[in-house]
Amino acid sequence: MTGKTVLVVGDSWSASIGQGMSEVATSRNTVVNAGLGGCGILLPVGKENPEACRAWPTQWPSYLAKYKPDATLLTVGFWDVTPQRLAGEEETRDLTSPSHETTFRDRLNQAISILTSRDTPLYLMTSQQVGNPKYRSSALVMNRVLREASAKHPGVRLLDLRGQLCNDDGCPDVLAGTQVYDPTEHPTKPARARLANWALNAMFAKDGA
């Protein structure tokens, strides 16, 4: 890939993969890494969702206008599968709650509308939390909604992050001889380099770039 600009938005996994893209891409390419740790797209209420996490509906259009990316990556695989309290609710729930599933679908459609508004190809990633028994049920709902959205919206493609990190035996800490996770449960440098190359190839290999 040469002379390409990639915009990365979403959670800390997006930020990590964006960092990997910056490390593996040549200087003739630009990676705008706007991934934010602790942020999803559900917009829950309470102090656990800081202002920076609530700004994406207004912030992302400005990124598109400023950087004019050739492709955009959005990953929201962890925070939005965890229990959260939405506006008008008294209890925290996860995506197995019909109201939370509906809200996630609505927010995802909003995000897709923003990120494809300039006809920019958008790449979503599945949640690897399917391999975590604590979040499996919620992550399965997320991945189903992501699949439905990618099939519905032109210019949106779903990348199977879980397929890159897991096998028939689960989601091991060491895969193909590489330590996958660092102490913060994010990809190690070798793992994020592999994920970054995989994502970039999915975005641009068809162009021969």
Side-chain angles (χ1 to χ4, degrees), residues 71-92:
T72 299
L73 172 68
L74 168 63
T75 306
V76 289
F78 177 72
W79 287 101
D80 286 333
V81 303
T82 61
Q84 301 186 68
R85 184 169 63 88
L86 302 182
E89 296 184 348
E90 296 182 359
E91 299 179 356
T92 59

Side-chain angles (χ1 to χ4, degrees), residues 105-178:
R105 180 180 289 104
D106 291 345
R107 294 300 186 195
L108 180 61
N109 286 333
Q110 181 183 6
I112 289 172
S113 178
I114 291 171
L115 295 173
T116 61
S117 61
R118 301 176 62 92
D119 295 325
T120 304
L122 171 61
Y123 293 80
L124 308 174
M125 284 192 176
T126 57
S127 173
Q128 80 282 10
Q129 294 297 324
V130 170
N132 185 333
K134 184 177 180 180
Y135 302 115
R136 176 176 171 80
S137 295
S138 185
L140 285 171
V141 174
M142 170 179 279
N143 287 347
R144 172 171 53 78
V145 174
L146 289 168
R147 285 194 300 272
E148 293 168 354
S150 63
K152 174 183 175 182
H153 295 277
V156 178
R157 181 177 171 188
L158 182 62
L159 303 180
D160 186 14
L161 177 62
R162 180 184 179 278
Q164 292 292 313
L165 297 172
C166 308
N167 54 34
D168 291 342
D169 298 321
C171 303
D173 291 336
V174 178
L175 192 63
T178 298

Side-chain angles (χ1 to χ4, degrees), residues 30-44:
T30 301
V31 178
V32 181
N33 191 352
L36 290 174
C39 295
I41 59 172
L42 266 176
L43 302 180

